[in-house]
Every structure is written in structure tokens, then in C-alpha cells.
Amino acid sequence: MSTPAKVAILVSGRGSNMQSLVKAAGDAYQVVIVASDRPDAAGLGWAREHGVPTFALAPKGIGKAAYEAALDGALKAAGAEYIALAGYMRLLSDQFVAGWRGRIVNIHPSLLPKYKGLDTHGRAIAAGDAEAGCSVHIVTEELDGGAVLGQARVPILPGDDAEALAARVLAEEHRLYPRVLTEWLTR
């Protein structure tokens, strides 16, 4: 049996996808650190309560390059081999992505390649789409442009607003991300 892959998870908020990943960790991967660009992120508290080491640093005042250097150092010091973005709302620089090339994944709340970026649910509803969903993809220098590893679909129901649709998509994210991460790491 092989050693579990060492995964760092980056969050910016409550970390509900991070929680799903931590709970699903096992033979395929272990979470070695949860890091955030927001020292007050609720997800950090949850991680600490569950025995996962954390790192937090706000980039404001130090600049993106210094922030990413400190983040990179913390991830490597924790032994991370892969990074899972889970509600991490900061764009990573091309240099950072290149340093971790092929080892960063993200969960995005749309059926990529549709609706890259923000406001994905509102855009899907406004377009009259019959369905929405989420995608796990490899992170590249192109925003939400890397290879899609897995998707989950949900219908857009009559009367849906962005908030109602987001709640149903989030439930699918919590199922999809751990499964796809496990499959990707054991390929």
C-alpha cells in the first residue's frame, strides 16, 4: 500500500469544501495544512478544532510576491505535495502556479468551460440554462481554464434565484470534490 499524498487546502471563508475534503481523507491523501489569505476565516477555526495545522497571512501591506513566498514556504514546510483550492478567492500568480504545475486543483461552481470567474449561478439562470453544476479542474495560469477532472450537474428549477441554485450546487460540490481528488491522486 502506498503512502497517502500530502495535500494542502487553501480557503478564504467558512471552508465547507475543505471540511468535506478533511473528512474524506484516508488511504489516498492526508491533509497536512489548511492555509488562508484571511486570518479570520472561519475555516481555520474548524481545521484547528479537528487537529489540522493552519497557516494564515493577509497579503495586504506586504504585497502579492511576499505573501505568495510566505505561503509557498508554509506549504512546503508542512510537507505538502499537492494543493486543493476550496473557496480560495485570491488569484494565484503565474509564478506560484508554475512552481506547483500539475499539482493544484480547484472546485468551481459551474459546468466549465461555461461561466469562468464569479457570479456563475446568476449567469446560468440569466442565460436560461436548464442545468448548472460544479467542476473540479487542474489549476493553470488561465482562470478556470485547466483540464476538467470531474463534474456534477443539477437542474435549474423554475423560480430559482442564484442563492437557491448555489445551495444545491454546493451540496454536489461536497460530494464531488473528495471523490475526484481521491481518483486524481490514485490515478
Side-chain angles (χ1 to χ4, degrees), residues 45-102:
W46 187 94
R48 283 191 289 270
E49 289 170 10
H50 289 81
V52 181
T54 62
F55 170 83
L57 179 66
K60 187 172 183 168
I62 64 169
K64 187 171 192 150
Y67 165 75
E68 286 188 346
L71 175 63
D72 188 63
L75 300 184
K76 288 177 178 169
E81 301 165 314
Y82 299 91
I83 299 171
L85 305 180
Y88 185 72
M89 300 306 291
R90 179 164 300 282
L91 294 177
L92 296 168
S93 70
D94 290 355
Q95 181 179 353
F96 186 92
V97 171
W100 288 87
R101 180 160 325 285

Side-chain angles (χ1 to χ4, degrees), residues 18-126:
M18 173 269 300
Q19 293 174 31
S20 293
L21 292 174
V22 169
K23 290 174 185 174
D27 292 343
Y29 68 91
Q30 69 180 84
V31 178
V32 295
I33 191 168
V34 172
S36 182
D37 59 327
R38 297 182 181 168
D40 62 347
L44 292 172
W46 187 94
R48 283 191 289 270
E49 289 170 10
H50 289 81
V52 181
T54 62
F55 170 83
L57 179 66
K60 187 172 183 168
I62 64 169
K64 187 171 192 150
Y67 165 75
E68 286 188 346
L71 175 63
D72 188 63
L75 300 184
K76 288 177 178 169
E81 301 165 314
Y82 299 91
I83 299 171
L85 305 180
Y88 185 72
M89 300 306 291
R90 179 164 300 282
L91 294 177
L92 296 168
S93 70
D94 290 355
Q95 181 179 353
F96 186 92
V97 171
W100 288 87
R101 180 160 325 285
R103 297 182 293 145
I104 309 174
V105 292
N106 182 44
I107 182 91
H108 181 72
S110 80
L111 296 172
L112 291 172
K114 280 186 161 186
Y115 313 122
K116 297 176 180 182
L118 302 174
D119 191 29
T120 59
H121 308 299
R123 290 161 58 201
I125 292 168

Side-chain angles (χ1 to χ4, degrees), residues 146-166:
V148 173
L149 302 173
Q151 293 183 317
R153 299 172 181 275
V154 300
I156 296 177
L157 304 175
D160 261 350
D161 60 14
E163 187 176 304
L165 180 57

